[in-house]
């Protein structure tokens, strides 16, 4: 599931890299059913993340180990990718001199991506890819990182509020956040929920994450049938396509589709049993596609960008898994050891463990 969704993100971005933002918006986001199909990908990604992360939450004894495990899974690979793209790739392809490039405010602003402080300005590097259809942008996919951090923090808050003991807390959190999101949309549009065009919002991704958490909490009541998954997929695509409020219907429908497909447990390919390439594909595909568009301007068609970038990105993702991500995951024992030391020194920390056992 993760691999499929990450490859779909790569395919969608190949249009942006090949033709630029304006054509990208017209080609992908402006026509039914393309817009509805494209808008389902990131919410499904976040729903799947919420479902899996919820399992990690219930397995961890304290918030310390939960956040520690999230940190070692996300941060090392992100830090390496941002550093490579800024120092190596940017340094080689920039049209500025090295002193100008490496002392530029924009260069240092880009490095802030390592800390999760991602903004529209921090996605660009100075003098890089300026002749590409998408000039200057090095890592457009990183705009979702702050919302992922919000998801983890929000889940931690819900856990402190008793979500591990009472799953109704999760439903309450989801309901409150949806109500807040609809209210904010209504105030912004004057309560005119007209059809809209464009990628999903960050708030929608947080809702998708919360839906994944709730589906995990209530998985004992979840009924999955092939025909229901098919109907939900149709509802989701239409919901994302027709109106602003339809997005919320689409989020619920595609959350069911995501978890339903996962519960069906399709057979894995042999290579996927020992490596998780999804995060590496997500991290590296954009900068690789920009490099292809920069080095091979005669092949700036989305299908060439996709065909050339996919195997190269999977290779880099494999190297990331072997060299960065898998070694980082071995640090979990240190996370648990630190947790034990802190729990012994702070008796109050045992309350979390006790509530989990109950």
């Amino acid at each position: 599931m993760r691999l499929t969704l990450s490859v779909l993100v790569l395919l969608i971005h190949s249009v942006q890299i090949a033709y630029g933002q304006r054509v990208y918006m017209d080609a992908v986001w402006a026509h039914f059913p393309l817009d509805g199909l494209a808008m389902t990908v990131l919410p499904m990604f976040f729903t799947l993340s919420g479902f899996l992360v919820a399992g990690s939450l219930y397995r961890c004894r304290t918030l310390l180990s939960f956040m520690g495990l999230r940190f070692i899974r996300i941060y090392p690979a992100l830090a390496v990718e941002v550093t490579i793209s800024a120092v190596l790739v940017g340094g080689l392809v920039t049209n500025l001199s090295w002193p100008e490039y490496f002392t530029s405010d924009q260069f240092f602003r880009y490095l802030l991506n390592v800390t999760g402080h991602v903004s529209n300005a921090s996605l660009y590097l100075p003098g890089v890819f300026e002749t590409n259809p998408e000039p200057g942008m090095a890592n457009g996919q990183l705009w979702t990182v702050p919302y992922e951090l919000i998801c983890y923090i929000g889940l931690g808050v819900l856990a402190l509020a008793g979500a591990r003991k009472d799953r109704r807390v999760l439903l309450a959190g989801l309901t409150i956040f949806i109500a807040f999101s609809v209210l904010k949309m209504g105030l912004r549009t004057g309560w005119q929920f007209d059809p809209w065009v464009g990628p999903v919002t960050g708030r929608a991704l947080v809702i998708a994450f919360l839906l994944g958490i709730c589906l995990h909490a209530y998985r004992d009541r979840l009924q999955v049938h092939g025909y229901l998954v098919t109907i939900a997929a149709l509802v989701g695509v239409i919901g994302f396509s027709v109106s602003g409020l339809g997005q919320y219907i689409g989020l619920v429908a595609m959350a069911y589709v995501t978890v339903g497909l996962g519960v069906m447990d399709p057979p894995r390919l042999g290579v996927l049993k020992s490596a998780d390439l999804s995060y590496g594909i997500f991290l590296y595909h954009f900068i690789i596609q920009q490099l292809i568009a920069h080095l091979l301007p005669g092949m700036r068609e989305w299908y060439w960008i996709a065909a050339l970038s996919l195997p190269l990105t999977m290779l880099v993702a494999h190297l990331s898994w072997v060299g960065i991500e898998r070694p980082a995951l071995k640090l979990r024992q240190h996370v648990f050891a630190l947790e034990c030391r802190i729990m012994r020194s702070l008796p109050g920390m045992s309350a979390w463990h006790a509530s989990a056992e109950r």
Side-chain angles (χ1 to χ4, degrees):
M1 287 287 292
R2 286 194 300 263
L3 181 65
T4 300
L5 292 171
S6 61
V7 170
L8 288 174
V9 171
L10 179 150
L11 293 176
I12 291 171
H13 281 153
S14 66
V15 180
Q16 180 181 3
I17 300 300
Y19 311 120
Q21 182 71 16
R22 180 174 298 179
V23 176
Y24 170 64
M25 294 295 290
D26 290 340
V28 177
W29 302 110
H31 302 289
F32 176 82
L34 285 180
D35 57 342
L37 285 169
M39 279 189 281
T40 64
V41 175
L42 279 178
M44 290 179 72
F45 223 133
F46 270 68
T47 296
L48 182 60
S49 178
F51 189 88
L52 297 175
V53 167
S56 175
L57 176 71
Y58 283 104
R59 290 190 297 271
C60 290
R61 293 192 297 172
T62 69
L63 271 180
L64 177 64
S65 60
F66 171 72
M67 291 300 184
L69 292 178
R70 292 299 90 211
F71 178 85
I72 63 175
R73 182 65 187 101
I74 300 299
Y75 183 80
L78 173 64
V80 170
E81 192 280 332
V82 169
T83 303
I84 288 176
S85 59
V87 176
L88 181 60
V89 178
L92 289 176
V93 304
T94 183
N95 57 19
L96 303 178
S97 67
W98 281 3
E100 289 179 301
Y101 176 78
F102 288 110
T103 59
S104 168
D105 290 342
Q106 195 172 33
F107 173 80
F108 290 107
R109 191 181 303 117
Y110 181 85
L111 291 179
L112 289 176
N113 290 323
V114 169
T115 67
H117 290 77
V118 180
S119 65
N120 185 59
S122 69
L123 302 177
Y124 294 80
L125 283 168
V128 170
F129 304 133
E130 289 197 346
T131 59
N132 281 14
E134 190 60 66
M137 185 176 286
N139 269 323
Q141 83 286 2
L142 292 184
W143 75 269
T144 64
V145 169
Y147 298 102
E148 191 166 2
L149 296 177
I150 290 172
C151 289
Y152 296 150
I153 294 170
L155 181 55
V157 171
L158 290 172
L160 290 174
R164 281 165 56 105
K165 210 166 39 170
D166 188 347
R167 57 189 179 182
R168 291 176 297 181
V169 174
L170 296 173
L171 280 179
L174 173 63
T175 303
I176 291 170
F177 195 85
I178 289 178
F180 164 78
S181 185
V182 173
L183 177 63
K184 188 169 183 179
M185 181 188 291
L187 292 174
R188 188 182 71 247
T189 62
W191 302 103
Q192 299 297 317
F193 297 111
D194 297 323
W196 58 280
V197 173
V200 292
T201 63
R203 290 193 307 278
L205 299 183
V206 176
I207 292 172
F209 186 89
L210 291 172
L211 283 166
I213 294 169
C214 289
L215 286 170
H216 182 276
Y218 286 88
R219 63 193 182 280
D220 57 320
R221 299 187 181 181
L222 187 65
Q223 299 294 320
V224 176
H225 302 284
Y227 70 92
L228 290 178
V229 172
T230 302
I231 293 172
L234 293 173
V235 171
V237 171
I238 294 172
F240 274 114
S241 302
V242 295
S243 72
L245 283 179
Q247 179 181 12
Y248 296 93
I249 299 172
L251 285 170
V252 175
M254 295 312 299
Y256 174 79
V257 171
T258 304
V259 175
L261 290 174
V263 169
M264 289 179 182
D265 194 23
R268 296 187 189 184
L269 299 175
V271 67
L272 302 183
K273 294 179 181 179
S274 58
D276 181 2
L277 306 184
S278 59
Y279 188 42
I281 292 173
F282 175 79
L283 283 179
Y284 285 97
H285 77 273
F286 202 95
I287 190 77
I288 289 174
Q289 290 184 329
Q290 282 284 56
L291 266 175
I292 291 172
H294 174 76
L295 297 173
L296 301 171
M299 305 188 76
R300 290 176 181 169
E301 297 289 347
W302 75 268
Y303 45 85
W304 284 121
I305 297 291
L308 293 173
S309 65
L310 180 57
L312 184 56
T313 302
M314 292 189 72
L315 173 61
V316 174
H318 179 73
L319 295 176
S320 175
W321 171 256
V322 172
I324 307 298
E325 298 168 57
R326 188 169 61 186
L329 290 176
K330 294 179 181 179
L331 298 175
R332 65 182 60 158
Q333 298 303 322
H334 297 284
V335 172
F336 296 140
L338 176 62
E339 176 186 56
C340 289
R341 286 198 296 270
I342 293 177
M343 288 182 68
R344 285 195 297 265
S345 62
L346 298 173
M349 287 289 290
S350 62
W352 168 279
H353 189 204
S355 67
E357 292 299 322
R358 288 197 298 271

